[in-house]
Amino acid sequence: MKVLPHQSHFRQLINLLLDNTCVATLIIMAALQKVYVVGVGLTKFVKPRGLVDYPDLGFEAGVKALLDAGINYDEVQQGIACYVYGDSTCGQRVFYRFGMTQIPIYNVNNNCSTGSSGIYLARQLISHNAADCILVVGFEKMFPGSLKTNFPDRTPPNDRTVAMMRATRGFSDTTPRAPQTFGNAGREYMEKYGATADDFAEIARINHAHSAKNPYSQFRDVYSLEQIKNSPMVHAPLTKLQCCPTSDGGAAAVIVSEKWLEAHPHLKSQAILIAGQHMATDSPALYSRSAIDLVGMEMTRTAARVAMSEAGITAADVKVCELHDCFSANEMITIDGLGLSAPGKAHELVRAGGITFGGQVVVNPSGGLISKGHPLGATGLAQCAELCWHLRGWATNRHVEGARYALQHNLGLGGAAVVTVYKRADGKLNGLVEDVAGVSKSKYNPAVEAREPTQEDVATVISRTKSSEWMVTEKKIQAQL
Ligand SMILES: *[C@@H]1O[C@H](CO)[C@@H](O)[C@H](O)[C@H]1NC(C)=O
């Protein structure tokens, strides 16, 4: 068929636009809605002893997030449930207690980055005008002890990375796999850049010190460097106090569009903008034979680059950061991967006091996964809650001075890394709020006090018209005992 002149011009124009990614990006960006976090909530994280169950963990966290946003479940247009261990549709089991409003509910599983994958999905939906108000709830009821395979009769998703580990640094059947994998990355950082075992212990010391101020943290004890170094060796350089524990816990966030926020102007003072965000999966670098690459360094780098460029910032603009310290070794390489330090210099930043109060950036003011615990599906949402409180100026007992941007990094092997940049809706610095209880919709300061919701709290947030007695009259409303 003969191409008419005007058609070919049109094609040329389209090709020009497609070739010019900058223009194409601008055109897409113009149509996207801004996305905000207006409510957050979490349960205390506790050692898994089979005493709490996921419907209570998810429900308590969700009730708190709805209370924090001051809204009723009838306003929620879609639900996203985040968990790794459990049968299909656990999300509905949790959400039906808020109401059976027939909204779409998704069940998300992305290993340790599950919670932030839920936030990412919510933002994708809202920014593309598919919804205006989404409740994301993460929860995890874990088995005591280290992570295990649950489906021994089929190909494990990580079989190739385990084979690579065997072929490079070896594999011990007597040590749990995760500390070996991340510990090897730590060893490589020592060999390549000159970090020492003390630098890894110092990272854990700082996280434990921060945890004393976080009422939701599983461990709140403070340790000396000697105590960290002298705790039982798991896989050098990682001692036990440098490894996160498994935990039961729940965390939730209410995520909304700019249009929705305009219709709820009283929430503007607590709304936190997701100024930039990206999820990256693995590149072929995963199999470069480097132990650092084998724990997803390239995912972290890519997600950080794209998220920060969307927000129009560099790592130097970040004053407060929650990052994925499942092991001190992963915090070390992540400081580097996010660009918080110069390449190969993360240990120098640690030594210079650069990752705690008074330093360049406060990393993991919550105490991080190392102290707080790591209920896989809840972790990314708990990081989000911590950073929202910091930007609101509500983290009064662990306030980070002069923060305009907060950075979140959540990593799952298998794999996915989600990096998020948060900013206040008014773009201002995070001034300390004197009377949080006076402005908080929950009437207390949830950043410094881990209260449990009451029956009245539940009554205010559950659906007014679409509740079933079969779900609502359940015995417990609190996850804690
Ligand atoms: C999930 O993450 C854990 C902890 O990092 C890791 O040990 C495990 O291999 C991962 N699971 C899969 C299936 O990749």
Side-chain angles (χ1 to χ4, degrees):
M1 197 190 93
K2 196 166 165 281
V3 178
L4 298 172
H6 71 273
Q7 278 184 334
S8 84
H9 277 140
F10 181 69
R11 278 188 198 168
Q12 268 175 23
L13 180 66
I14 291 291
N15 284 339
L16 191 73
L17 286 178
L18 290 178
D19 283 350
N20 190 335
T21 28
C22 210
V23 174
T25 310
L26 280 176
I27 289 173
I28 294 165
M29 302 270 288
L32 295 183
Q33 282 248 30
K34 283 186 180 169
V35 179
Y36 298 83
V37 183
V38 291
V40 291
L42 59 157
T43 69
K44 277 187 181 171
F45 287 3
V46 296
K47 185 183 165 75
R49 283 171 304 195
L51 298 177
V52 295
D53 206 352
Y54 76 89
D56 302 318
L57 294 163
F59 188 61
E60 180 183 328
V63 167
K64 287 178 173 176
L66 291 168
L67 278 178
D68 184 43
I71 64 165
N72 177 271
Y73 184 66
D74 290 323
E75 294 220 43
V76 174
Q77 298 165 348
Q78 304 209 14
I80 298 176
C82 308
Y83 63 98
V84 175
Y85 301 118
D87 277 320
S88 186
T89 68
C90 287
Q92 280 85 330
R93 182 66 180 79
V94 169
F95 275 86
Y96 284 179
R97 287 177 74 182
F98 299 114
M100 302 182 73
T101 54
Q102 298 198 285
I103 58 170
I105 294 171
Y106 313 92
N107 292 278
V108 175
N109 181 343
N110 238 354
N111 208 2
C112 307
S113 62
T114 295
S116 55
S117 297
I119 299 173
Y120 180 85
L121 177 57
R123 185 182 189 235
Q124 291 281 304
L125 288 165
I126 293 171
S127 64
H128 289 84
N129 293 297
D132 288 302
C133 178
I134 297 182
L135 176 62
V136 187
V137 180
F139 48 84
E140 207 69 57
K141 178 184 168 84
M142 297 184 75
F143 295 111
S146 49
L147 302 180
K148 292 180 194 65
T149 305
N150 295 308
F151 300 98
D153 68 335
R154 63 202 75 176
T155 306
N158 56 359
D159 61 337
R160 306 311 298 153
T161 53
V162 172
M164 172 62 74
M165 188 158 106
R166 261 182 220 285
T168 49
R169 301 228 166 207
F171 185 79
S172 152
D173 289 312
T174 52
T175 310
R177 195 186 321 132
Q180 286 189 64
T181 317
F182 286 98
N184 288 342
R187 289 177 187 185
E188 188 175 305
Y189 208 87
M190 295 165 85
E191 295 157 9
K192 275 192 174 156
Y193 307 118
T196 65
D198 276 23
D199 298 325
F200 294 93
E202 173 68 359
I203 285 176
R205 188 195 67 73
I206 292 167
N207 284 331
H208 285 290
H210 290 174
S211 75
K213 302 281 180 61
N214 180 358
Y216 300 91
S217 189
Q218 184 169 333
F219 300 135
R220 299 180 71 186
D221 295 323
V222 173
Y223 301 93
S224 68
L225 192 67
E226 288 308 307
Q227 285 173 312
I228 306 265
K229 280 162 57 183
N230 295 334
S231 64
M233 183 57 74
V234 180
H235 182 80
L238 304 176
T239 59
K240 193 163 183 232
L241 286 170
Q242 300 176 52
C243 304
C244 72
T246 49
S247 323
D248 290 344
V254 178
I255 305 193
V256 304
S257 67
E258 178 149 59
K259 192 168 81 196
W260 190 96
L261 186 59
E262 288 302 330
H264 300 71
H266 57 287
L267 285 172
K268 280 191 185 170
S269 58
Q270 70 184 58
I272 303 299
L273 173 70
I274 300 180
Q277 187 177 53
H278 191 65
M279 179 197 291
T281 55
D282 285 297
S283 82
L286 179 65
Y287 300 118
S288 73
R289 303 186 78 81
S290 146
I292 291 175
D293 285 339
L294 204 56
V295 291
M297 182 62 139
E298 204 49 42
M299 298 195 288
T300 292
R301 281 206 194 96
T302 302
R305 181 169 37 76
V306 178
M308 287 196 245
S309 97
E310 187 193 349
I313 67 162
T314 68
D317 296 309
V318 176
K319 290 282 173 295
V320 58
C321 171
E322 284 281 312
L323 62 75
H324 198 89
D325 61 323
C326 47
F327 300 93
S328 59
N330 201 41
E331 177 159 332
M332 183 75 81
I333 65 171
T334 301
I335 288 169
D336 190 326
L338 293 174
L340 296 172
S341 76
K345 304 281 188 209
H347 54 296
E348 292 182 13
L349 184 68
V350 174
R351 284 178 203 169
I355 59 165
T356 188
F357 291 86
Q360 174 194 309
V361 49
V362 180
V363 176
N364 293 334
S366 68
L369 283 53
I370 283 179
S371 344
K372 191 171 55 184
H374 183 20
L376 310 191
T379 289
L381 286 146
Q383 293 178 320
C384 166
E386 177 74 12
L387 295 176
C388 286
W389 288 329
H390 277 282
L391 288 177
R392 288 183 195 172
W394 289 20
T396 51
N397 66 351
R398 53 188 186 281
H399 182 66
V400 178
E401 288 283 320
R404 193 181 305 280
Y405 300 99
L407 186 68
Q408 179 191 359
H409 164 270
N410 188 200
L411 173 88
L413 295 188
V418 182
V419 172
T420 308
V421 179
Y422 298 98
K423 184 184 173 183
R424 293 167 57 97
D426 61 13
K428 290 192 179 145
L429 294 178
N430 63 335
L432 195 63
V433 175
E434 297 296 340
D435 177 24
V436 177
V439 297
S440 161
K441 309 268 173 308
S442 319
K443 307 280 185 247
Y444 69 100
N445 183 355
V448 300
E449 206 187 326
R451 278 198 205 171
E452 288 154 8
T454 63
Q455 283 292 0
E456 297 78 73
D457 290 336
V458 171
T460 48
V461 298
I462 62 170
S463 169
R464 301 200 204 292
T465 53
K466 293 277 176 59
S467 285
S468 165
E469 274 177 36
W470 280 83
M471 302 305 302
V472 169
T473 53
E474 198 167 17
K475 56 211 170 10
K476 280 201 295 180
I477 50 158
Q478 293 151 2
Q480 314 309 320
L481 296 165

